[in-house]
Amino acid sequence: MFQNVQQIQDFIRQNGIAFLDFKMIDLRGRWKHLSIPAARFNEDIMTHGIGFDGSNYGYAQVERSDMVFLPDITTAVVDPFVKAPTLTMIGDVMVIDHPANRPFDQYPRNVAKSAIAHMQALGVADEMIIGPEYEFHVFDGMTRTLRPDAVGYRLQCSESVWSAGEFPNNGFHTGPHDGYHADLPGDRTFDLRNQICLELAKWGVDVKYHHHEVGGSGQLEIEVELGEMTRLADATMAAKYVIRNTAAANGMTATLMPKPIYGEAGNGMHVHMLLRKNGQPVFYDPDGYGQLSRTAMHFIGGLLTHARSLCAITNPSTNSYKRLIPGFEAPVTIGYAMANRSAVVRIPAYVKSPDKKRFELRNPDAMCNPYFAYAAILMAGLDGIEHEIDPAGRGWGPFDFNLFDLPADERKRLGHLPASLDEALDALEADHDYLTRDGVPDAAARDARQNAPRRRAGDQPHPAPSGVRPLFRSLTEPYWPRIPSGVRGYACRSPEV
């Protein structure tokens, strides 16, 4: 939209913009922001940036915490969720240095860029193309109790069958596990989804389609078009912001929490992916399994080799592992197959075009920091290419049958995703060298900001005694233990849902 400061200033004047808002990403993958009067925006800000306290983002020690935010004007968009006309944009973080400031290599956007640079240095591809699917729930409201003597919450959802005995009530409800592609009048969030998608278009996020998901109590999905990895990481942040704020503007609560309702389908963030080199598809081979090339299979081999450790980054909350259980189309077994939603890696059978031939990783959820998650996925796949890891040779498939139907003794012989965050963190501590090849940043210095007791999540009672943080604080702010400090480049807490 904008390429230089003059264009921004002209837009400010012509549209009565009152404020410029700058959004930064913290280590947990949340947007934070600061604003300035629009009249203050000038070339100096684009050269020297805006100073802030990096220690409150987990970027620096308090005694050396001065850092600088540098706006990226190409991401600017008018924010519809505030009263005063406001132009908002993301940007990058710089370390104060002499004679000139330098990029902060631990910043999430820069970690993603470093992973892309590693891919290009290997000569494997020029672009990593991804397409995430955003699953989420929308409720009419919620209440919660968090006291030393009691912990509880209640969800309100007029669409759900549990509201059938309450007024006001039009008699149309969506049953458990019966929400997939539900139509009007049962699909009560159709207008809301339309509004979200129209707003996403203004933020540069191209929607592929949207629909009601399987969960009968307000579970929805928006899938976006394929795009370059770092741009789609930006788009993921925008999507979460727009989803949550559009719902709030309509008096509702949206959550991307992986498992907000027991016994219903959970919310994943399946990530479709492919590589391109010189504009040509790297993953296509008409004679390969699923029309995938050997390079694609080796990429899958890397993902499956590191699947357990990846979970600590792609599924970084305690609630994430309430979703990764059999029976709800969430993967549990480490394997791959064509059109099989019970496998960690699924090859969509409906994709026939060579330039879009791809596969999806099904375990991630939207609690992740998207920059770290997408970078980690790429690094795992590149490790598989470098070491020519054959997933079939490792016994990971192809599994062209429902893995949930396997007898228990056969399931035991297969590899499985972690059953808890604690298991995922143990896996990451044991397997993380693949994440830091070729200069991808080392984030061990951030440990000072990541010292929450790791094991507390599994040990604390409910209700929590005075002074102990409850595991479930709200739908918008659960509790996450830390990612272990030894994991270089990715030591972070996960974001709000």
Side-chain angles (χ1 to χ4, degrees):
M1 187 175 183
F2 302 104
Q3 301 300 320
N4 55 58
V5 171
Q6 186 61 54
Q7 290 177 349
I8 293 277
Q9 292 173 330
D10 290 344
F11 186 86
I12 289 171
R13 183 177 61 257
Q14 294 166 7
N15 294 273
I17 299 297
F19 292 95
L20 264 66
D21 183 62
F22 304 121
K23 298 189 185 299
M24 290 175 275
I25 306 105
D26 70 3
L27 289 179
R28 292 167 64 179
R30 301 176 304 175
W31 264 351
K32 297 197 172 189
H33 74 135
L34 61 89
S35 305
I36 64 171
R40 279 202 55 216
F41 186 73
N42 54 37
E43 290 281 1
D44 187 68
I45 286 177
M46 294 302 301
T47 302
H48 301 293
I50 299 173
F52 72 99
D53 177 6
S55 67
N56 277 301
Y57 283 72
Y59 294 154
Q61 302 289 347
V62 68
E63 65 271 17
R64 297 186 63 186
S65 57
D66 283 355
M67 304 186 85
V68 169
F69 171 79
L70 205 62
D72 179 354
I73 60 175
T74 65
T75 67
V77 62
V78 175
D79 193 329
F81 304 113
V82 295
K83 292 182 179 180
T86 300
L87 191 66
T88 188
M89 63 192 77
I90 59 177
D92 294 304
V93 170
M94 309 291 285
V95 175
I96 295 175
D97 204 351
H98 300 285
N101 297 334
R102 55 184 170 82
F104 178 48
D105 62 3
Q106 318 280 349
Y107 191 59
R109 291 185 92 203
N110 289 336
V111 170
K113 291 173 185 177
S114 294
I116 294 293
H118 173 60
M119 174 189 71
Q120 293 169 344
L122 290 176
V124 172
D126 305 319
E127 293 181 293
M128 167 75 156
I129 305 297
I130 66 170
E133 302 175 13
Y134 307 121
E135 295 177 341
F136 56 100
H137 277 76
V138 172
F139 303 116
D140 296 301
M142 66 163 291
T143 60
R144 57 192 172 101
T145 301
L146 295 173
R147 304 193 309 265
D149 63 323
V151 173
Y153 67 96
R154 184 186 180 195
L155 304 174
Q156 296 173 312
C157 181
S158 60
E159 180 181 281
S160 175
V161 292
W162 72 57
S163 299
E166 301 176 359
F167 287 102
N169 192 332
N170 67 1
F172 293 98
H173 302 279
T174 305
H177 317 292
D178 196 32
Y180 190 67
H181 289 185
D183 200 359
L184 299 170
D187 180 11
R188 300 192 184 193
T189 56
F190 181 51
D191 287 336
L192 177 69
R193 294 199 309 275
N194 285 339
Q195 187 179 349
I196 290 171
C197 292
L198 290 172
E199 195 57 50
L200 284 173
K202 299 175 186 176
W203 290 68
V205 181
D206 299 321
V207 173
K208 181 179 179 182
Y209 52 65
H210 69 81
H211 59 84
H212 201 293
E213 255 297 349
V214 173
S217 303
Q219 189 190 27
L220 316 174
E221 178 180 315
I222 295 175
E223 183 172 341
V224 300
E225 294 286 1
L226 298 169
E228 192 275 329
M229 188 187 89
T230 52
R231 187 179 71 80
L232 263 293
D234 291 341
T236 298
M237 297 296 296
K240 292 200 282 187
Y241 182 80
V242 169
I243 288 168
R244 295 172 68 190
N245 281 282
T246 305
N250 285 271
M252 307 177 82
T253 298
T255 178
L256 290 92
M257 190 176 187
K259 194 76 168 182
I261 301 175
Y262 176 76
E264 281 275 26
N267 296 317
M269 189 181 73
H270 311 149
V271 182
H272 296 251
M273 64 198 75
L274 59 94
L275 299 181
R276 289 179 185 159
K277 185 173 183 180
N278 299 322
Q280 298 301 309
V282 174
F283 283 175
Y284 178 71
D285 181 347
D287 299 321
Y289 174 81
Q291 294 78 56
L292 290 177
S293 66
R294 285 178 56 83
T295 300
M297 298 309 297
H298 292 155
F299 195 107
I300 291 173
L303 291 177
L304 299 180
T305 296
H306 303 295
R308 288 177 58 82
S309 63
L310 274 175
C311 282
I313 299 168
T314 59
N315 305 79
S317 75
T318 53
N319 184 258
S320 298
Y321 300 87
K322 311 303 181 186
R323 167 182 163 256
L324 298 178
I325 59 175
F328 296 91
E329 291 192 10
V332 176
T333 304
I334 296 175
Y336 75 98
M338 174 81 78
N340 189 341
R341 286 173 168 79
S342 65
V344 171
V345 173
R346 180 181 77 98
I347 305 165
Y350 57 78
V351 178
K352 303 292 186 181
S353 174
D355 65 331
K356 291 185 178 179
K357 197 62 191 177
R358 62 186 186 269
F359 47 82
E360 67 169 342
L361 186 66
R362 293 183 56 80
N363 62 285
D365 62 59
M367 291 254 191
C368 68
N369 181 322
Y371 301 92
F372 290 161
Y374 300 156
I377 289 168
L378 175 56
M379 295 299 287
L382 292 175
D383 188 64
I385 292 173
E386 282 190 88
H387 294 93
E388 298 185 350
I389 299 174
D390 177 13
R394 297 285 184 96
W396 291 324
F399 297 132
D400 294 317
F401 52 87
N402 190 341
L403 291 163
F404 300 145
D405 293 338
L406 280 176
D409 58 336
E410 291 188 40
R411 285 201 304 268
K412 288 180 181 179
R413 292 198 293 268
L414 301 175
H416 295 84
L417 295 181
S420 67
L421 179 61
D422 207 54
E423 281 189 36
L425 294 171
D426 284 340
L428 189 56
E429 287 178 335
D431 174 31
H432 59 258
D433 287 344
Y434 68 96
L435 294 170
T436 57
R437 303 286 176 81
D438 195 27
V440 176
D442 185 328
R446 290 182 296 208
D447 185 54
R449 292 288 295 174
Q450 312 303 327
N451 57 5
R454 179 186 143 181
R455 306 284 177 178
R456 183 171 64 183
D459 296 339
Q460 73 180 55
H462 295 275
S466 180
V468 176
R469 180 186 298 177
L471 265 178
F472 189 91
R473 293 188 288 180
S474 75
L475 277 175
T476 55
E477 197 177 2
Y479 167 69
W480 300 268
R482 69 177 178 90
I483 298 294
S485 61
V487 180
R488 297 162 292 175
Y490 303 85
C492 62
R493 291 184 183 179
S494 72
E496 292 181 3
V497 297

